[in-house]
Amino acid sequence: MNPLLTVKMKPITKTFFKGLIAIIPLTLTLYLLFWLAATVELALGNIFKLFLPESWYTKGLGFVLGLAVVFFFGVFLESRPFRHLFRKFEELVNQIPVVKSIYSAIRDFISLFSGKQKGKFKQVVLVNVPHGKGQQIGFITVSDFGEVLPTLVSNDQIAVFLPFSYQMGGNTVIMSRQNIINIDMSVEDALRFIATAGVVGNVEDEKNKI
């Protein structure tokens, strides 16, 4: 093959992949947003038709209704009596065996994106991987077991969640405090770092690159 042609192809290939890397995340994000909006529209649109005349319904009204419901529910949660009633409802839900597990898992996952609670992740740590294979970033979820597992866990042990990269899920391990190192890293930055296998780090650094 002509070397000159090969040299010309390299910039073209580089430019193509640069555009590909930029457009794929944007396309997938827009697709997921449209899918979520369509799902909300379908569910709440049908509920709207149950209580009001179908002639009043126009496409998109279900989505708008969903936004309004979420907003006003948040406003109501600012009220102490409504917040108390909601906690009572959660207590009832947590008494149902299977529903309790599903509800708690979804609630804890959503709370990860709350700037107020940071989920149940208490501290970002480095965990020593066995057999000298390096270290892994994890999150302390239980630092004091108390009455949870008093006969199975010793006082110097903690629970650490080790999430996977590029997928949901992870492993929760109980280990000695001697096997972890506390690091000065926010939960958001650590989650971003792990989820992208280290490709994306501190959010402020990423903003400065733009």
Side-chain angles (χ1 to χ4, degrees), residues 94-110:
N94 287 329
Q95 293 178 3
I96 306 174
V98 178
V99 176
K100 175 183 69 174
S101 301
I102 299 174
Y103 177 78
S104 299
I106 296 175
R107 182 193 59 196
D108 292 342
F109 175 75
I110 296 298

Side-chain angles (χ1 to χ4, degrees), residues 26-107:
L26 178 62
T27 302
L28 291 177
T29 301
L30 291 175
Y31 174 79
L32 289 175
L33 289 175
F34 279 118
W35 174 82
L36 179 61
T39 303
V40 173
E41 171 67 23
L42 178 62
L44 295 182
N46 290 333
I47 295 176
F48 180 90
K49 295 174 185 178
L50 289 176
F51 296 96
L52 295 172
E54 189 171 348
S55 58
W56 291 13
Y57 172 79
T58 57
K59 193 171 183 179
L61 192 58
F63 180 73
V64 174
L65 178 62
L67 294 178
V69 169
V70 171
F71 177 78
F72 283 110
F73 200 83
V75 172
F76 290 144
L77 283 176
E78 296 294 329
S79 168
R80 183 175 297 179
F82 187 83
R83 189 163 60 246
H84 177 72
L85 289 175
F86 185 72
R87 287 174 181 171
K88 289 294 183 181
F89 170 76
E90 283 191 317
E91 291 177 1
L92 293 175
V93 171
N94 287 329
Q95 293 178 3
I96 306 174
V98 178
V99 176
K100 175 183 69 174
S101 301
I102 299 174
Y103 177 78
S104 299
I106 296 175
R107 182 193 59 196

